[in-house]
């Protein structure tokens, strides 16, 4: 009988030890999944790069919407025929108030409106510019009101210098923007700086899918942990509106005087980029950009 009791006590102790070990292993694994430690040669983690790329997409998309709405006015003036792009669906309400000197546009996405590229927006983009459409350059002022982008709450504004024709005879917009983003789980990030978008294909076609832009510029990104990254375009980024991702170009990312580069590829529409750290180490990165569930 005593021998049997000893066996039972030993089994309980063993189970307690195994359970404790499993709990510790699970805790360690969970922590490893949620916290990414940078090595001495790394500038940015893959996860932070995904968040950073999403903030870039938000800025690009908001600017593109403002430019698309303004371009409809510009094209209508040039062609003398009313023009409307098909990029904004019927669930978007555009209201125009004309003063003595300006046009004030309210671009209202309501409680949620899905764009042709799958992104879902809610809230309002306010856009203001001089009503004189003969000017070769125009200043546009953009602000956001109760605005979300794929459930990410966005605050901020942008001043946009619009050129009807640059040195390449293409429309071009240079935006000085400052935005702050809050994800549904409470993560936050901010980004500000200057970005120039040259509209190289699709202007005036009325079809959003053939619009192509070349993007240059320099911005400051403050990540979720408060780290500051300087992001500068070295080779123009090619954005084809029919694709969710940047298809080519090179972006340099600097943190604490160390610089990495992100190469977006050869023009293929995919989620892959090559991140090169300061020591020359290369890693294939998959950019999330709000993949559909």
């Amino acid at each position: 009988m005593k021998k049997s009791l000893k066996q039972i006590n030993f089994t309980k102790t063993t189970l307690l030890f195994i359970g404790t070990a499993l709990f510790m292993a699970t805790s360690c694994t969970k922590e490893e999944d949620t916290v990414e430690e940078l090595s001495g040669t790394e500038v940015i983690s893959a996860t932070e790069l995904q968040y950073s790329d999403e903030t870039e997409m938000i800025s690009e998309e908001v600017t593109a919407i403002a430019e698309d709405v303004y371009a409809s006015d510009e094209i209508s003036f040039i062609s003398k025929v009313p023009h409307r792009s098909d990029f904004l669906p019927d669930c978007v309400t555009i209201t125009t108030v004309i003063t003595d000197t300006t046009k004030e546009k309210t671009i209202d996405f309501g409680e949620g409106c899905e764009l042709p590229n799958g992104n879902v927006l809610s809230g309002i983009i306010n856009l203001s510019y001089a009503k004189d459409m003969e000017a070769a350059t125009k200043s546009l002022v953009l602000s956001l009101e109760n605005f979300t982008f794929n459930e990410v709450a966005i605050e901020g504004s942008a001043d946009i210098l619009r050129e009807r024709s640059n040195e390449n005879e293409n429309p071009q917009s240079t935006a000085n923007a400052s935005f702050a983003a809050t994800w549904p789980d409470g993560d936050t990030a901010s980004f500000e700086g200057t970005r120039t978008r040259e509209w190289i294909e699709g202007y005036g076609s009325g079809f959003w899918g053939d619009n192509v832009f070349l993007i240059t510029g320099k911005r400051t990104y403050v990540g979720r942990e408060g780290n500051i990254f300087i992001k500068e375009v070295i080779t123009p980024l090619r954005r084809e509106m029919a694709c969710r991702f940047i298809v080519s170009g090179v972006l340099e990312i600097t943190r604490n005087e160390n610089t990495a580069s992100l190469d977006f590829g050869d023009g293929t529409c995919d989620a892959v980029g090559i991140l090169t750290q300061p020591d020359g180490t290369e890693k294939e990165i998959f950019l999330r950009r709000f993949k559909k569930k």
Side-chain angles (χ1 to χ4, degrees), residues 188-209:
T188 62
S190 66
F191 42 107
E192 62 179 15
T194 302
R195 188 60 66 91
T196 298
R197 293 161 42 90
E198 181 181 7
W199 197 336
I200 63 171
E201 294 180 21
Y203 175 74
S205 72
F207 172 53
W208 69 274

Side-chain angles (χ1 to χ4, degrees), residues 26-36 47 224:
T26 303
S27 299
C28 291
T29 302
K30 183 178 181 181
E31 184 175 355
E32 289 172 357
D33 287 343
T34 57
V35 178
E36 287 186 293
T47 300
R224 298 169 300 150

Side-chain angles (χ1 to χ4, degrees), residues 40-69:
T41 59
E42 287 184 307
V43 172
I44 189 170
S45 69
T47 300
E48 191 65 73
L49 187 59
Q50 289 179 334
Y51 275 86
S52 171
D53 189 63
E54 286 184 353
T55 63
E56 292 288 344
M57 180 188 184
I58 292 168
S59 179
E60 291 165 15
E61 204 87 335
V62 170
T63 304
I65 289 168
E67 187 171 359
D68 188 77
V69 170

Side-chain angles (χ1 to χ4, degrees), residues 8-252:
I8 293 173
N9 289 335
F10 175 75
T11 303
K12 286 182 178 179
T13 303
T14 303
L15 289 173
L16 178 62
F17 174 78
I18 293 172
T20 303
L22 288 172
F23 173 79
M24 292 177 66
T26 303
S27 299
C28 291
T29 302
K30 183 178 181 181
E31 184 175 355
E32 289 172 357
D33 287 343
T34 57
V35 178
E36 287 186 293
E37 295 292 337
L38 295 177
S39 70
T41 59
E42 287 184 307
V43 172
I44 189 170
S45 69
T47 300
E48 191 65 73
L49 187 59
Q50 289 179 334
Y51 275 86
S52 171
D53 189 63
E54 286 184 353
T55 63
E56 292 288 344
M57 180 188 184
I58 292 168
S59 179
E60 291 165 15
E61 204 87 335
V62 170
T63 304
I65 289 168
E67 187 171 359
D68 188 77
V69 170
Y70 172 78
S72 289
D73 266 6
E74 184 179 78
I75 295 167
S76 296
F77 173 78
I78 294 171
S79 65
K80 308 302 180 184
V81 176
H83 176 275
R84 180 177 173 85
S85 167
D86 65 352
F87 182 61
L88 295 181
D90 292 338
C91 53
V92 179
T93 301
I94 301 177
T95 304
T96 304
V97 176
I98 301 177
T99 70
D100 290 340
T101 58
T102 66
K103 283 190 175 182
E104 312 288 338
K105 289 187 178 287
T106 300
I107 309 166
D108 192 343
F109 297 87
E111 297 299 317
C113 179
E114 184 173 347
L115 302 185
N117 55 17
N119 293 317
V120 178
L121 283 59
S122 69
I124 294 172
I125 298 175
N126 293 308
L127 185 63
S128 175
Y129 51 88
K131 71 175 184 179
D132 177 14
M133 298 305 295
E134 293 184 358
T137 62
K138 189 74 66 73
S139 293
L140 287 64
V141 178
L142 179 156
S143 63
L144 304 178
E145 183 179 335
N146 298 322
F147 189 77
T148 69
F149 190 105
N150 291 341
E151 299 184 349
V152 179
I154 309 296
E155 297 178 343
S157 61
D159 295 319
I160 305 170
L161 177 63
R162 166 77 177 189
E163 300 174 59
R164 184 177 299 171
S165 181
N166 65 6
E167 60 184 9
N168 298 322
E169 300 184 351
N170 293 321
Q172 179 172 294
S173 296
T174 300
N176 291 305
S178 178
F179 295 107
T182 303
W183 276 261
D185 62 4
D187 282 333
T188 62
S190 66
F191 42 107
E192 62 179 15
T194 302
R195 188 60 66 91
T196 298
R197 293 161 42 90
E198 181 181 7
W199 197 336
I200 63 171
E201 294 180 21
Y203 175 74
S205 72
F207 172 53
W208 69 274
D210 63 6
N211 290 340
V212 180
F213 299 89
L214 289 182
I215 302 169
T216 57
K218 184 176 182 179
R219 286 190 176 176
T220 300
Y221 168 73
V222 181
R224 298 169 300 150
E225 304 299 324
N227 295 314
I228 299 174
F229 303 90
I230 306 300
K231 304 175 69 177
E232 183 172 7
V233 177
I234 302 304
T235 303
L237 308 181
R238 183 180 174 93
R239 175 73 198 282
E240 299 176 356
M241 294 302 289
C243 179
R244 189 167 71 243
F245 305 97
I246 299 293
V247 300
S248 65
V250 178
L251 181 70
E252 279 193 348

